[in-house]
């Protein structure tokens, strides 16, 4: 029986997603390269060249010292990039025997770290030590310093946390990692395309960052799946390489084998179209929208967290949250139950006004 053609949902009322409508050039490029496989670069040479461009573009955003020969690749998302960062640090940690999957290696991350680090720890057999935040939802350097020891392979800092959009004190965390000989990873999966237009310290230029996650498929306006892993030195990626006997290229550092060239081509096209002015405009618009929304919520008596990056969290009663969901608004809640709105590029001021109008109707 013929079914009606399924339609993807529109972004009109999507307020909690970290994904967004791709740039039209990025969508077109992704379609063009859909059936290529950058996992086999000796066969799919065109997309392999594009991947080098994507890495250079991402490395430029993240102020890598030498973007044109930065190590990295386009991952399936922030999750894969974070898993690989943990894996690389584990493999490089002095005295470790990765093959045995020794249990006594640890990774120290703030409580705000994305849940992908829990997946990484479980997969890789390392202990994840999560440390408390300060009272503004950022990693507390003292707590991090107290948690690290000789067996710490990696310290994680978050530059744009998933729940509150907070930027950890990256230089301080980098120094702590340095002191104990641990690797240092910055998770800028979501924040990486807005942070270059702020005065936050977050990049390779600001701290001894070894590896960094930055996702084109979030604020980068590239189609899914396009995440990014960058490394200061080739050695971080070399630590991930396994032999690939039946391919012309003799080793592979990615976690996935076959992967779609769509993510790679989409990322390059988005960066070509938008870096830097288009991204700057998007970041500024998003920041203004977040400020506006936080102000409107505060005016109505809700306890709103001051947005640092374009993400608004506010205490909204459960009944009102449910009514907003029932009205079709795709909103979500933080772990402690606050309403969470991510001001992605598709989230317009008009949509936010309509959202506030609905909230006013619900409150009446
Ligand atoms: C979204 C996000 C991730 C995970 O990325 P996926 O692309 O969903 O795998 C990791 N870290 C942070 C900070 C994120 O915001």
């Amino acid at each position: 029986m013929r079914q009606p053609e399924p339609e993807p949902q529109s972004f009109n009322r999507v307020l909690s997603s970290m994904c967004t409508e791709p740039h039209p050039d990025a969508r077109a490029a992704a379609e063009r390269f859909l059936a290529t496989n950058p996992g086999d670069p000796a066969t799919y040479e065109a997309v392999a060249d594009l991947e080098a461009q994507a890495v250079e573009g991402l490395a430029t955003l993240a102020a890598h010292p030498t973007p044109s020969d930065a190590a990295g690749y386009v991952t399936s998302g922030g999750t894969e990039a974070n898993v690989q960062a943990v894996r690389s640090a584990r493999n490089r940690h002095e005295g470790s025997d990765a093959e045995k999957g020794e249990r006594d290696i640890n990774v120290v991350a703030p409580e705000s770290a994305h849940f992908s680090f829990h997946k990484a720890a479980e997969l890789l057999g390392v202990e994840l030590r999560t440390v408390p935040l300060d009272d503004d939802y950022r990693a507390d350097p003292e707590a991090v310093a107290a948690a690290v020891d000789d067996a710490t392979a990696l310290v994680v800092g978050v530059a744009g946390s998933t729940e509150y959009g907070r930027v950890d004190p990256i230089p301080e965390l980098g120094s702590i990692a340095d002191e104990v000989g641990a690797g240092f990873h910055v998770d800028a999966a979501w924040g990486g395309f807005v942070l270059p237009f702020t005065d936050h310290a977050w990049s390779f230029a600001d701290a001894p960052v070894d590896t960094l996650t930055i996702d084109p498929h979030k604020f980068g306006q590239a189609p899914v799946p396009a995440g990014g892993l960058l490394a200061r030195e080739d050695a971080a990626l070399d630590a991930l390489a396994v032999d690939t006997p039946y391919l012309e290229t003799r080793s592979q550092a990615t976690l996935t084998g076959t992967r779609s060239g769509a993510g790679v081509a989409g990322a390059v096209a988005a960066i070509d179209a938008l870096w830097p002015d288009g991204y700057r405009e998007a970041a500024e618009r998003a920041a203004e929208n977040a400020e506006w929304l936080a102000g409107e919520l505060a005016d109505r008596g809700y306890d709103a967290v001051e947005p640092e990056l374009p993400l608004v969290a506010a205490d909204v009663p459960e009944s009102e949250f449910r009514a907003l969901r029932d009205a079709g608004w795709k909103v979500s809640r933080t772990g402690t139950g606050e309403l969470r709105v991510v001001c992605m590029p598709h989230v317009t001021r008009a949509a936010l006004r309509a959202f506030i109008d609905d909230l006013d109707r619900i409150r009446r």
Side-chain angles (χ1 to χ4, degrees):
M1 202 174 70
R2 237 185 124 79
Q3 301 287 338
E5 181 134 41
E7 277 291 324
Q9 69 170 76
S10 108
F11 274 100
N12 286 348
R13 294 195 162 210
V14 175
L15 299 186
S16 62
S17 180
M18 289 189 151
C19 294
T20 195
E21 202 124 46
H23 186 280
D25 294 1
R27 183 188 288 273
E31 279 173 11
R32 223 164 32 245
F33 279 84
L34 196 58
T36 63
N37 172 19
D40 180 3
T43 303
Y44 299 93
E45 288 158 333
V47 78
D49 290 346
L50 279 180
E51 185 158 31
Q53 282 182 48
V55 169
E56 180 172 354
L58 293 173
T60 302
L61 265 86
H64 189 283
T66 51
S68 57
D69 51 30
Y73 73 96
V74 176
T75 65
S76 55
T79 299
E80 181 184 342
N82 287 341
V83 169
Q84 290 280 77
V86 173
R87 183 173 156 231
S88 171
R90 184 200 66 173
N91 290 357
R92 294 178 80 190
H93 188 68
E94 213 178 35
S96 75
D97 188 341
E99 313 248 314
K100 285 194 218 137
E102 278 181 24
R103 273 244 155 222
D104 62 357
I105 289 184
N106 68 73
V107 170
V108 175
E111 263 167 13
S112 54
H114 187 262
F115 54 79
S116 47
F117 290 99
H118 294 266
K119 296 180 183 175
E122 190 180 322
L123 283 166
L124 296 165
V126 302
E127 178 196 353
L128 179 64
R129 296 184 179 167
T130 55
V131 299
L133 306 179
D134 67 13
D135 48 23
D136 198 22
Y137 311 101
R138 293 186 192 87
D140 175 0
E142 276 180 35
V144 172
V148 296
D149 58 27
D150 286 353
T152 304
L154 188 68
V155 173
V156 175
V158 185
S161 61
T162 317
E163 285 199 324
Y164 296 101
R166 287 304 190 246
V167 181
D168 287 339
I170 298 301
E172 287 89 331
L173 298 182
S175 306
I176 295 167
D178 219 28
E179 272 164 35
V180 291
F184 183 43
H185 177 70
V186 169
D187 184 1
W190 175 71
F193 282 80
V194 292
L195 285 160
F197 312 107
T198 69
D199 51 17
H200 289 289
W202 69 285
S203 71
F204 286 102
D206 300 313
V209 175
D210 292 302
T211 51
L212 187 141
T213 293
I214 175 170
D215 284 357
H217 72 200
K218 289 184 170 173
F219 248 104
Q221 298 177 49
V224 181
L229 175 68
L230 296 174
R232 183 181 294 272
E233 295 171 2
D234 292 350
L237 237 63
D238 295 345
L240 297 170
V242 299
D243 295 340
T244 51
Y246 69 87
L247 296 181
E248 259 322 293
T249 35
R250 288 290 163 218
S251 79
Q252 187 176 81
T254 54
L255 189 58
T256 51
T258 299
R259 59 198 162 103
S260 174
V264 171
V268 171
I271 294 170
D272 276 354
L274 294 167
W275 171 260
D277 294 341
Y279 287 134
R280 181 185 295 109
E281 282 156 26
E284 287 171 357
R285 214 176 328 110
E288 284 163 15
N289 282 336
E291 282 296 335
W292 181 84
L293 179 63
E296 293 293 313
L297 290 168
D299 287 349
R300 285 161 178 76
Y302 298 106
D303 195 3
V305 178
E306 177 62 27
E308 185 165 281
L309 294 184
L311 196 162
V312 178
D315 249 326
V316 169
E318 169 72 22
S319 57
E320 294 174 19
F321 179 84
R322 290 258 58 98
L324 287 165
R325 292 276 316 178
D326 290 346
W329 294 103
K330 303 296 183 198
V331 282
S332 70
R333 274 169 293 184
T334 64
T336 54
E338 292 137 311
L339 167 83
R340 174 176 164 277
V341 172
V342 190
C343 295
M344 295 301 292
H346 68 269
V347 176
T348 60
R349 183 66 61 90
L352 292 175
R353 277 189 217 283
F355 175 73
I356 288 289
D357 287 347
D358 273 1
L359 181 60
D360 284 339
R361 244 190 310 280
I362 286 162
R363 283 151 52 83
R364 240 177 254 132

